[in-house]
Coordinates of all heavy atoms in Angstrom, one line a residue:
N1 N 116.6 62.1 -30.7 CA 117.1 62.6 -32.0 C 118.1 61.7 -32.6 O 118.5 61.9 -33.8 CB 117.7 64.0 -31.8 CG 116.6 65.0 -31.4 OD1 115.5 64.9 -31.9 ND2 117.0 66.0 -30.6
R2 N 118.7 60.7 -31.8 CA 119.7 59.8 -32.2 C 120.9 60.5 -32.7 O 121.7 60.0 -33.6 CB 119.1 58.9 -33.4 CG 117.8 58.2 -33.1 CD 117.9 57.3 -31.9 NE 118.8 56.1 -32.2 CZ 119.1 55.2 -31.2 NH1 118.7 55.3 -30.0 NH2 119.9 54.2 -31.6
K3 N 121.2 61.7 -32.2 CA 122.4 62.4 -32.6 C 123.0 63.1 -31.4 O 122.3 63.6 -30.5 CB 122.2 63.4 -33.7 CG 122.0 62.8 -35.1 CD 121.9 63.9 -36.1 CE 121.8 63.2 -37.5 NZ 121.7 64.2 -38.6
V4 N 124.3 63.1 -31.3 CA 125.0 63.8 -30.2 C 125.1 65.3 -30.6 O 125.4 65.6 -31.7 CB 126.4 63.3 -30.0 CG1 127.1 64.1 -28.9 CG2 126.4 61.8 -29.6
P5 N 124.7 66.2 -29.7 CA 124.8 67.7 -30.0 C 126.1 68.1 -30.5 O 127.2 67.7 -30.0 CB 124.5 68.3 -28.6 CG 123.7 67.3 -27.9 CD 124.3 66.0 -28.3
G6 N 126.1 68.9 -31.5 CA 127.4 69.4 -32.1 C 128.1 68.5 -33.1 O 129.2 68.8 -33.5
T7 N 127.4 67.4 -33.4 CA 128.1 66.4 -34.3 C 127.0 66.0 -35.4 O 125.8 66.3 -35.2 CB 128.6 65.1 -33.7 OG1 127.5 64.3 -33.2 CG2 129.4 65.5 -32.4
I8 N 127.5 65.4 -36.4 CA 126.6 64.8 -37.4 C 126.5 63.3 -37.4 O 125.8 62.7 -38.2 CB 127.0 65.3 -38.9 CG1 128.4 64.7 -39.1 CG2 127.0 66.8 -39.0 CD1 128.9 65.0 -40.6
V9 N 127.2 62.7 -36.4 CA 127.2 61.3 -36.2 C 126.0 60.8 -35.5 O 125.6 61.3 -34.5 CB 128.5 60.8 -35.4 CG1 128.5 59.3 -35.3 CG2 129.7 61.3 -36.1
S10 N 125.3 59.8 -36.2 CA 124.0 59.3 -35.6 C 124.4 58.2 -34.5 O 125.5 57.6 -34.6 CB 123.2 58.7 -36.6 OG 123.8 57.6 -37.3
I11 N 123.5 58.0 -33.6 CA 123.7 57.1 -32.5 C 123.2 55.7 -32.9 O 122.1 55.6 -33.3 CB 123.0 57.6 -31.2 CG1 123.6 58.8 -30.7 CG2 123.0 56.5 -30.1 CD1 122.9 59.4 -29.5
D12 N 124.1 54.7 -32.8 CA 123.7 53.3 -33.0 C 124.0 52.5 -31.9 O 125.0 51.7 -31.9 CB 124.3 52.8 -34.3 CG 124.0 51.3 -34.6 OD1 122.9 50.9 -34.1 OD2 124.8 50.7 -35.3
V13 N 123.3 52.6 -30.8 CA 123.5 51.8 -29.6 C 122.2 51.3 -29.0 O 121.1 52.0 -29.3 CB 124.3 52.5 -28.5 CG1 125.7 52.9 -28.9 CG2 123.5 53.7 -28.0
R14 N 122.2 50.3 -28.2 CA 121.0 49.9 -27.5 C 121.2 50.5 -26.1 O 122.2 50.3 -25.4 CB 120.8 48.4 -27.4 CG 119.5 48.1 -26.7 CD 119.2 46.7 -26.6 NE 117.8 46.5 -26.1 CZ 117.2 45.3 -25.8 NH1 117.9 44.2 -25.9 NH2 116.0 45.3 -25.4
V15 N 120.2 51.2 -25.6 CA 120.2 51.8 -24.2 C 119.5 50.9 -23.3 O 118.3 50.6 -23.5 CB 119.7 53.2 -24.3 CG1 119.6 53.8 -22.8 CG2 120.5 54.1 -25.2
I16 N 120.2 50.5 -22.2 CA 119.5 49.8 -21.1 C 119.7 50.7 -19.8 O 120.8 51.1 -19.5 CB 120.2 48.4 -20.8 CG1 120.0 47.5 -22.1 CG2 119.5 47.7 -19.6 CD1 120.7 46.2 -21.9
A17 N 118.6 51.0 -19.2 CA 118.6 51.8 -18.0 C 118.2 51.0 -16.8 O 117.4 50.1 -16.9 CB 117.7 53.0 -18.1
T18 N 118.9 51.2 -15.6 CA 118.5 50.5 -14.4 C 118.1 51.5 -13.4 O 118.5 52.7 -13.4 CB 119.7 49.7 -13.8 OG1 120.7 50.6 -13.3 CG2 120.3 48.8 -14.9
A19 N 117.1 51.1 -12.5 CA 116.6 52.0 -11.5 C 116.2 51.2 -10.2 O 115.7 50.1 -10.4 CB 115.4 52.8 -12.0
D20 N 116.5 51.7 -9.0 CA 116.2 51.0 -7.8 C 114.9 51.7 -7.2 O 114.6 51.3 -6.0 CB 117.3 51.0 -6.8 CG 117.9 52.4 -6.5 OD1 117.2 53.3 -6.7 OD2 119.0 52.4 -6.1
K21 N 114.3 52.6 -7.9 CA 113.0 53.2 -7.5 C 112.0 53.0 -8.6 O 112.3 52.8 -9.7 CB 113.3 54.7 -7.1 CG 114.3 54.9 -6.0 CD 114.5 56.4 -5.8 CE 115.5 56.7 -4.8 NZ 115.8 58.1 -4.6
D22 N 110.7 53.2 -8.2 CA 109.6 53.1 -9.1 C 109.6 54.4 -10.0 O 109.2 55.4 -9.5 CB 108.3 52.9 -8.4 CG 107.2 52.6 -9.3 OD1 107.3 53.0 -10.5 OD2 106.2 52.0 -8.9
L23 N 110.0 54.3 -11.2 CA 110.1 55.5 -12.1 C 108.7 56.0 -12.4 O 108.5 57.2 -12.5 CB 110.8 55.2 -13.4 CG 112.3 54.9 -13.3 CD1 112.9 55.0 -14.7 CD2 113.0 55.9 -12.5
G24 N 107.7 55.1 -12.5 CA 106.3 55.6 -12.7 C 105.9 56.5 -11.6 O 105.2 57.5 -11.8
D25 N 106.2 56.1 -10.3 CA 105.8 56.8 -9.2 C 106.5 58.2 -9.1 O 106.0 59.2 -8.8 CB 106.1 56.0 -7.9 CG 105.6 56.7 -6.6 OD1 104.5 57.1 -6.6 OD2 106.4 56.8 -5.7
L26 N 107.8 58.2 -9.5 CA 108.6 59.4 -9.5 C 108.1 60.4 -10.6 O 108.1 61.6 -10.4 CB 110.1 59.1 -9.8 CG 110.8 58.3 -8.7 CD1 112.3 58.1 -9.2 CD2 110.8 59.1 -7.4
V27 N 107.6 59.8 -11.7 CA 107.0 60.6 -12.8 C 105.7 61.3 -12.2 O 105.5 62.5 -12.4 CB 106.7 59.8 -14.0 CG1 105.8 60.6 -15.0 CG2 107.9 59.4 -14.7
D28 N 104.9 60.6 -11.5 CA 103.7 61.2 -10.9 C 104.0 62.3 -9.9 O 103.2 63.2 -9.8 CB 102.9 60.1 -10.3 CG 102.3 59.1 -11.3 OD1 102.2 59.4 -12.5 OD2 102.0 57.9 -10.9
K29 N 105.1 62.1 -9.2 CA 105.5 63.2 -8.3 C 106.3 64.3 -8.9 O 106.6 65.3 -8.2 CB 106.4 62.5 -7.2 CG 105.7 61.5 -6.3 CD 106.7 60.9 -5.3 CE 106.0 59.8 -4.4 NZ 106.9 59.2 -3.5
G30 N 106.5 64.2 -10.2 CA 107.2 65.3 -10.9 C 108.7 65.2 -10.7 O 109.4 66.2 -10.9
E31 N 109.3 64.1 -10.2 CA 110.7 63.9 -9.9 C 111.4 63.2 -11.1 O 112.7 63.1 -11.0 CB 110.9 63.2 -8.6 CG 110.3 63.9 -7.4 CD 110.4 63.1 -6.1 OE1 111.1 62.0 -6.2 OE2 109.8 63.5 -5.1
F32 N 110.7 62.8 -12.1 CA 111.4 62.2 -13.2 C 110.7 62.6 -14.5 O 109.5 62.7 -14.5 CB 111.4 60.7 -13.1 CG 112.4 60.0 -14.0 CD1 113.7 59.8 -13.5 CD2 112.0 59.5 -15.3 CE1 114.6 59.2 -14.4 CE2 113.0 58.9 -16.1 CZ 114.3 58.7 -15.6
D33 N 111.5 62.9 -15.6 CA 110.9 63.4 -16.8 C 110.0 62.3 -17.5 O 110.5 61.2 -17.7 CB 112.1 63.7 -17.8 CG 111.5 64.3 -19.1 OD1 111.0 65.4 -19.0 OD2 111.7 63.7 -20.1
R34 N 108.8 62.7 -17.8 CA 107.8 61.7 -18.3 C 108.3 61.2 -19.7 O 108.1 60.0 -20.0 CB 106.5 62.4 -18.4 CG 105.4 61.4 -18.9 CD 104.0 62.1 -18.9 NE 103.6 62.4 -17.5 CZ 103.0 61.5 -16.7 NH1 102.8 60.2 -17.2 NH2 102.7 61.8 -15.5
D35 N 108.8 62.1 -20.6 CA 109.2 61.7 -21.9 C 110.3 60.7 -21.9 O 110.3 59.7 -22.6 CB 109.6 63.0 -22.7 CG 108.5 63.9 -23.1 OD1 107.3 63.4 -23.2 OD2 108.7 65.1 -23.3
L36 N 111.3 60.9 -21.0 CA 112.4 60.0 -20.9 C 111.9 58.6 -20.4 O 112.3 57.6 -20.8 CB 113.5 60.5 -20.0 CG 114.7 59.7 -19.8 CD1 115.4 59.4 -21.1 CD2 115.7 60.3 -18.8
Y37 N 111.0 58.7 -19.4 CA 110.4 57.4 -18.8 C 109.7 56.6 -19.9 O 109.9 55.4 -20.0 CB 109.5 57.8 -17.7 CG 108.7 56.6 -17.2 CD1 109.3 55.5 -16.6 CD2 107.3 56.5 -17.5 CE1 108.5 54.4 -16.2 CE2 106.5 55.5 -17.0 CZ 107.2 54.4 -16.4 OH 106.4 53.3 -16.0
E38 N 108.9 57.3 -20.7 CA 108.2 56.6 -21.7 C 109.1 56.0 -22.8 O 108.8 55.0 -23.4 CB 107.1 57.5 -22.4 CG 106.0 57.8 -21.4 CD 105.0 58.8 -22.0 OE1 105.2 59.4 -23.1 OE2 103.9 59.1 -21.3
Y39 N 110.2 56.8 -23.1 CA 111.2 56.3 -24.1 C 111.9 55.1 -23.6 O 112.1 54.1 -24.3 CB 112.2 57.4 -24.3 CG 113.3 57.0 -25.3 CD1 113.1 57.1 -26.7 CD2 114.5 56.6 -24.8 CE1 114.1 56.7 -27.6 CE2 115.5 56.2 -25.7 CZ 115.3 56.3 -27.0 OH 116.3 55.9 -27.9
L40 N 112.3 55.1 -22.3 CA 113.1 54.0 -21.7 C 112.3 52.7 -21.5 O 112.8 51.6 -21.5 CB 113.8 54.4 -20.4 CG 114.9 55.5 -20.6 CD1 115.3 55.9 -19.2 CD2 116.1 55.0 -21.4

């Protein structure tokens, strides 16, 4: 949504995520949110 809950200020940052596990594998196991994985 590019907005912080409770505010009208839009988010203007680049997000970099790091992981030491295979997120695709965790998604298949139901241990990681698929929408967040596809976004990141």
Side-chain angles (χ1 to χ4, degrees):
N1 293 326
R2 307 299 292 177
K3 285 187 178 180
V4 178
T7 72
I8 60 172
V9 179
S10 61
I11 293 176
D12 177 24
V13 298
R14 186 181 191 186
V15 175
I16 299 178
T18 71
D20 55 20
K21 298 176 183 177
D22 187 338
L23 290 193
D25 186 47
L26 294 180
V27 168
D28 293 339
K29 293 178 180 178
E31 298 175 9
F32 198 87
D33 183 67
R34 182 176 296 277
D35 290 334
L36 181 59
Y37 169 68
E38 291 176 354
Y39 177 83
L40 294 174

